[in-house]
Amino acid sequence: LLTIFPLVSFSQDLSMNGNDGSTNNQCSGTFIDHDPDTGFYTLNGTQVLTICSDEADMEPQVDFTTFTIIGGYSLTIYNGDSTAAPIIGTYTSNNSPGTVFPSASNLTGCLTFEYVGSGAGFPGANFGWEAEISCKEPCQEITPIVAEVSPSEMDGDTYVVPFGQPIIFNGDGDFEIAGDGATYHWDFGDGDQAEVENPTHNFNEVGDFTVTLTITGPNGCLSTVTTIEIEVE
């Protein structure tokens, strides 16, 4: 008795066309939508394909270098090994996914692609996509923290700061692994931004502002954003 599972492990070009339902373990190659032999795609319905890593302790990264899908077609990318996973995004026309990879919460370390359309005989040279497959270290969980706002006083959950004076913001992060190489982005809610861990900012008008801190990990993994409320008086 021979049981065949839809599991493929290789490092060559991968076509969405004809691989419906397959799981592909690879860290290299070009991912395309059309038949590599004929240059056409004949999608009429839905095709689903999953990409995982073929290297231990690594996860796939898919970088879309070209992307043009005709009207009525769409590509949905899922953050996991099936279409039951959270959706990263749905893309059509010239709305390219860019570079996608599993998030820190993705325990499968895989990406699933669902291509939906109706039609036949469209040339892959003019429509569709090409993407480069590689692998990277997994994302880590990062929790951004605003450790201190000085000078300030607390009014409930709001930091009350003086108008027109330098305010020091101390940013920090709770890193699952390590924070070396992480970048910090602050949005002060008044049109100004900063790209350092501990910025100094002057609020030049009174009122209420929402300050946002985002930390990007060393592998380009975006953290959950944290916000604080500021009252300037």
Side-chain angles (χ1 to χ4, degrees), residues 17 32-42 121-127:
N17 192 297
I32 57 178
D33 68 316
H34 52 275
D35 187 322
D37 296 324
T38 66
F40 282 70
Y41 59 89
T42 57
F122 295 100
N126 298 323
F127 299 102

Side-chain angles (χ1 to χ4, degrees), residues 6-130:
L7 178 64
V8 182
S9 181
F10 57 137
S11 57
Q12 59 188 21
D13 291 350
L14 175 63
S15 173
M16 193 85 191
N17 192 297
N19 283 303
D20 184 33
S22 69
T23 296
N24 307 271
N25 296 331
Q26 62 186 95
C27 284
S28 63
T30 301
F31 179 34
I32 57 178
D33 68 316
H34 52 275
D35 187 322
D37 296 324
T38 66
F40 282 70
Y41 59 89
T42 57
L43 177 62
N44 188 11
T46 300
Q47 290 183 333
V48 177
L49 179 151
T50 298
I51 299 177
C52 305
S53 170
D54 62 359
E55 298 181 15
D57 301 321
M58 299 289 279
E59 293 181 342
Q61 176 171 289
V62 180
D63 181 16
F64 286 81
T65 55
T66 61
F67 192 89
T68 303
I69 294 181
I70 62 174
Y73 283 64
S74 65
L75 175 67
T76 300
I77 305 176
Y78 297 86
N79 189 32
D81 61 358
S82 74
T83 56
I87 294 176
I88 294 176
T90 298
Y91 310 90
T92 190
S93 188
N94 294 315
N95 178 27
S96 173
T99 300
V100 292
F101 46 78
S103 72
S105 61
N106 182 347
L107 300 182
T108 71
C110 301
L111 297 170
T112 296
F113 300 82
E114 182 181 45
Y115 197 22
V116 179
S118 177
F122 295 100
N126 298 323
F127 299 102
W129 71 73
E130 287 193 6

